[in-house]
């Protein structure tokens, strides 16, 4: 799925959702579009390493 982003140089673009976490962690984007609003990196809550968080929170690791 493509996600709208605002890069650190204020240009806009679309990126694949699989690249979003790496762009956030490398500080290459300022904001990205969620289904309801824009999420600003550094101000709004952002989930990085989505798979890892999901596994840490599980009582049973179903991904083994």
């Amino acid at each position: 799925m493509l996600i709208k982003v605002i890069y650190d140089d204020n240009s806009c673009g679309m990126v694949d959702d699989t690249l979003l976490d790496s762009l956030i962690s490398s500080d290459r984007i300022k904001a990205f579009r969620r289904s309801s609003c824009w999420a600003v990196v550094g101000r709004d809550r952002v989930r990085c390493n989505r798979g890892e968080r999901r596994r840490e929170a599980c009582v049973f690791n179903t991904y083994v």
Side-chain angles (χ1 to χ4, degrees):
M1 169 192 321
L2 293 177
I3 298 174
K4 293 179 186 178
V5 298
I6 300 175
Y7 292 100
D8 58 352
D9 63 357
N10 290 325
S11 63
C12 297
M14 303 279 284
V15 298
D16 191 60
D17 61 346
T18 59
L19 300 175
L20 189 62
D21 286 339
S22 64
L23 289 172
I24 292 170
S25 63
S26 64
D27 293 327
R28 293 181 59 202
I29 61 171
K30 287 184 171 183
F32 62 94
R33 181 75 182 164
R34 289 186 171 149
S35 60
S36 60
C37 62
W38 282 93
V40 178
V41 177
R43 183 190 75 187
D44 297 320
R45 213 166 168 192
V46 180
R47 297 186 322 189
C48 288
N49 298 325
R50 289 176 281 188
E52 293 303 317
R53 285 182 183 255
R54 191 176 313 129
R55 281 188 283 253
E56 288 174 8
C58 291
V59 174
F60 299 103
N61 190 344
T62 59
Y63 297 100
V64 177

